[in-house]
Amino acid sequence: MSSLFTPLSLRSLEIPNRVWMSPMCMYSAAPEGPDTGAPTDFHLTHLASRAAGGAGLVMTEATGVRPDGRISPWDLGLWNDRQQEAFTRVTEAIKAHGAVPAIQLAHAGRKASVDKPWVSDRYVSEDENGWQAVAPSPVAYQGLPVPHELTEEEIQQLVRDFADSARRALAAGFQVAEVHGAHGYLINSFLSPAANHRTDAYGGSFENRIRFALEVVDAVRAVWPDDLPVFFRTSATDWLTENPEDEREGWTGEDTVRLAKELQARGVDLLDVSTGGMVRDAKIAAGPNYQVPFADQARNQAGIPTAAVGIITEPQQAEDIITSEQADAVFLGRELLRNPYWPQHAALALDTEPTWPDQYAYVVKRRKR
C-alpha cells in the first residue's frame, strides 16, 4: 500500500491518510452585519468537497481570533456564537466524508485590513469596514500603513483571544487546532528580527522573540483536549539570511529547529512548515519541493512530526516525500483548487483503492470483472 495513504496517529486521533488540504483564504464571508466572519454555503461546499475528494484532513482558512485579526474584512472569524454555530455545519460535513476537520487560528498583524487579492493589494481604511493594523513594532509591511505597536497589556489580551477562539473551535467540532505562526502575520512578525524591533520582554533575543508564540501555544493547549493534537504553522525562513546580497537579518531554518523543540515541549504535535511572507522583495527560488528541505530539517533535527507544503502536484512526488521520511504528511493548496478529487486519483496512480463516497463509488471505483 502507498505510504501516502496510510493513517497517521497523533495523540488519540487517527488521520486516515497523509494528503491534507492547506488553509487557503477565500475572501467570501460577510464583511459587516450579524454574519460577519461566519462561514457561508460557499465555505461549506468548498471544504466538504475536498473531504469527499479524499483528503485525510481538511483545514479551514486563516480564521481571525478577533475582528481586527482578519487579513481582510471578508475573512472568516471565530469570536462569537453565530460564527461558532455556522462552523458546526462545516465540521459535521467534513466528518461525514471520513476526513478530520481542522482550523487555523490566526491574527494578521501588520498585514491586516487589505482588499481581496483579485481586486487589489491596497489597504482597506476604517471607513470601508477596515481597521488599524497592529504589530510588535511600528514597522510597516511594504505598501501598507505603519501599524500600532502593541503594549504588553494588549499582547496578553491577544493570548486570551487565541484561547477563547480555540474553545469555540472545539465546541464547533474541530479535532485539530493550528496556530498560525507563518507568512509575516502577527506571531511570525514577533519571531523575526526583520519585523520585531522591541527592547522589552518580547523583543531582542531569540528567547524574547519566541515568547509570544509560546504563550499563545500554552493558552491554546490549555483549553484543547489532551487526546487531540495542536499544530503550529511556521515560515521556516524569511529568505533574507540565505541571500548573501541581502544585508537584512531574518528568521532561518536553524531558528525554526530551535523553536520546534520548544513547541514540542509545550505540546505541539506537528509543525506545518512553509516559508516566506515577511517581506515583499525577498528572493525566493520557488519550484517543486522547494520548501520540503525545511520540513525535513525540522523533522530530523528537532524530532517533531512535520507536514510539507509548496508546489506538490504529482502523486509520486508526494509519495516520495513520505517514504523518504522528509515529512509525515503533505498539505496541498492550489492543486486541490484545480482538482478537489486529487487524492482519489492519486490513490489510483499509487495502486491504492480510492475512498469514494458511496454515492459515487458504485459508478466510478474499480470493479472486479
Side-chain angles (χ1 to χ4, degrees):
M1 183 179 181
S2 159
S3 296
L4 192 62
F5 290 95
T6 57
L8 177 64
S9 293
L10 296 170
R11 299 196 180 231
S12 68
L13 181 67
E14 183 176 272
I15 305 170
N17 63 47
R18 313 315 181 87
V19 185
W20 301 348
M21 179 180 177
S22 276
M24 293 175 282
C25 289
M26 294 290 106
Y27 307 96
S28 297
E32 57 184 333
D35 290 321
T36 298
T40 66
D41 286 347
F42 169 81
H43 296 96
L44 176 65
T45 303
H46 166 66
L47 295 166
S49 65
R50 273 67 192 180
L57 179 145
V58 173
M59 188 172 290
T60 66
E61 64 189 69
T63 300
V65 299
R66 50 187 288 147
D68 59 1
R70 294 168 293 161
I71 299 169
S72 84
W74 299 274
D75 283 348
L76 295 180
L78 187 50
W79 63 80
N80 65 37
D81 291 344
R82 194 154 184 146
Q83 295 159 345
Q84 179 180 314
E85 182 179 352
F87 270 117
T88 302
R89 295 175 61 221
V90 173
T91 61
E92 289 174 349
I94 292 171
K95 290 175 183 176
H97 291 295
V100 169
I103 187 168
Q104 186 183 71
L105 301 176
H107 191 296
R110 66 180 186 154
K111 297 173 76 174
S113 195
V114 296
D115 202 357
K116 296 179 181 181
W118 57 84
V119 177
S120 74
D121 289 327
R122 71 178 181 88
Y123 169 69
V124 176
S125 64
E126 294 182 49
D127 60 4
E128 301 174 281
N129 296 316
W131 53 88
Q132 182 182 32
V134 301
S137 304
V139 179
Y141 184 72
Q142 293 98 317
L144 297 179
V146 175
H148 163 69
E149 182 176 19
L150 289 162
T151 66
E152 290 196 29
E153 187 175 312
E154 289 169 333
I155 291 170
Q156 289 307 305
Q157 180 57 53
L158 285 163
V159 172
R160 292 191 291 270
D161 292 333
F162 271 92
D164 288 343
S165 286
R167 287 191 191 93
R168 290 188 176 278
L170 182 65
F174 286 101
Q175 295 174 289
V176 174
E178 176 170 276
V179 175
H180 194 350
H183 300 156
Y185 298 121
L186 185 63
I187 293 175
N188 190 209
S189 65
F190 270 88
L191 297 174
S192 175
N196 185 348
H197 298 171
R198 299 177 75 98
T199 57
D200 63 3
Y202 290 93
S205 68
F206 176 86
E207 291 75 15
N208 284 355
R209 285 185 282 111
I210 69 172
R211 188 182 307 277
F212 177 54
L214 298 184
E215 288 179 347
V216 169
V217 164
D218 286 345
V220 170
R221 185 74 265 180
V223 302
W224 202 249
D226 289 340
D227 61 341
L228 291 178
V230 169
F231 294 0
F232 187 94
R233 173 163 264 198
T234 184
S235 279
T237 176
D238 295 335
W239 295 104
L240 297 177
T241 305
E242 290 84 357
N243 181 3
E245 298 178 359
D246 200 319
E247 296 181 353
R248 292 171 292 184
E249 183 183 4
W251 183 263
T252 68
E254 290 72 25
D255 291 329
T256 298
V257 172
R258 291 178 67 188
L259 175 62
K261 293 176 181 178
E262 295 285 347
L263 293 171
Q264 189 173 37
R266 282 173 158 78
V268 169
D269 302 284
L270 181 137
L271 195 66
D272 174 4
V273 185
S274 187
T275 65
M278 184 58 63
V279 298
R280 286 190 190 272
D281 59 345
K283 292 185 178 180
I284 302 175
N289 285 12
Y290 77 106
Q291 296 178 128
V292 174
F294 296 100
D296 185 6
Q297 182 181 24
R299 184 184 190 276
N300 291 296
Q301 292 183 22
I304 190 171
T306 63
V309 306
I311 316 184
I312 299 170
T313 60
E314 300 297 328
Q316 191 61 52
Q317 175 192 11
E319 173 78 0
D320 290 344
I321 291 169
I322 306 302
T323 57
S324 62
E325 299 184 343
Q326 296 179 85
D328 298 273
V330 295
F331 271 112
L332 270 62
R334 297 179 188 184
E335 195 62 20
L336 280 180
L337 296 184
R338 298 183 191 97
N339 179 7
Y341 299 99
W342 189 96
Q344 309 288 20
H345 299 303
L348 279 172
L350 297 171
D351 199 31
T352 299
E353 190 67 34
T355 56
W356 292 105
D358 290 340
Q359 296 90 334
Y360 300 170
Y362 81 102
V363 174
V364 301
K365 77 175 184 179
R366 289 182 289 191
R367 300 176 179 176
K368 293 181 180 178
R369 297 187 181 277

